[in-house]
Amino acid sequence: MDEEIAHLLFQDECMIRDYQAVQYTWFLRGKQRIIPTYGKHHGVKLIGVLNYETGRVHCVEEEQYDAEAFLRFLQHVPKQYPTGKIVMVLDNARIHHARLIQPFLEENQNRLELVFLPPYSPEMNLIEGLWK
């Protein structure tokens, strides 16, 4: 990295569901309870970053996780951190490598750098612990 890092951010996506998924229950045989469900599987999809230095979390809500949503998020990050070099640590999801985001990354290479974690290493992404 050519210059000092002003903001080290850890990025990820998550979904918060507004329903409970009942998989297993314990009841006496013949005395099972009826657990009502409402047939609607709604939730909130979030894309966010955790600031390593301050612990500040910034996230946005999206309808779906795709390259367009990730590009909107990337365009939003420099507005949240208007000065200094931003390094964003993230996983290797396909949307993070999409061709659609490459022109934005090239345009902002002096301000924003993406650092990809090794495959299957969520323990190295500090924001992962927040979503659980």
Side-chain angles (χ1 to χ4, degrees):
M1 292 182 214
D2 298 336
E3 59 186 83
E4 189 174 316
I5 299 169
H7 310 285
L8 178 58
L9 308 177
F10 289 83
Q11 186 279 331
D12 201 14
E13 298 84 21
C14 81
M15 180 172 180
I16 301 170
R17 293 177 176 90
D18 68 351
Y19 63 91
Q20 294 290 329
V22 180
Q23 294 180 347
Y24 299 101
T25 58
W26 295 327
F27 295 108
L28 293 174
R29 189 176 303 266
K31 305 266 185 192
Q32 288 90 351
R33 284 200 162 160
I34 296 173
I35 300 171
T37 59
Y38 303 100
K40 296 180 182 178
H41 297 290
H42 295 285
V44 176
K45 292 182 179 175
L46 301 174
I47 302 176
V49 289
L50 168 68
N51 185 310
Y52 179 76
E53 184 176 21
T54 67
R56 178 177 174 251
V57 175
H58 177 75
C59 52
V60 298
E61 184 177 336
E62 287 288 346
E63 289 292 317
Q64 57 188 2
Y65 302 132
D66 58 17
E68 290 87 5
F70 188 59
L71 177 59
R72 281 191 299 275
F73 183 75
L74 286 178
Q75 292 166 336
H76 185 72
V77 169
K79 295 173 187 167
Q80 293 297 306
Y81 299 94
T83 60
K85 176 86 172 189
I86 302 165
V87 172
M88 186 183 297
V89 179
L90 63 167
D91 62 26
N92 282 284
R94 287 176 36 185
I95 65 171
H96 300 160
H97 295 280
R99 276 190 227 136
L100 180 69
I101 68 168
Q102 298 311 313
F104 176 80
L105 293 175
E106 289 169 15
E107 254 176 54
N108 293 277
Q109 64 185 347
N110 293 330
R111 288 252 14 253
L112 178 64
E113 182 174 343
L114 302 184
V115 175
F116 294 97
L117 292 170
Y120 308 105
S121 58
E123 70 283 353
M124 296 176 76
N125 191 343
L126 298 182
I127 199 170
E128 288 276 354
L130 298 180
W131 302 133
K132 295 180 181 179

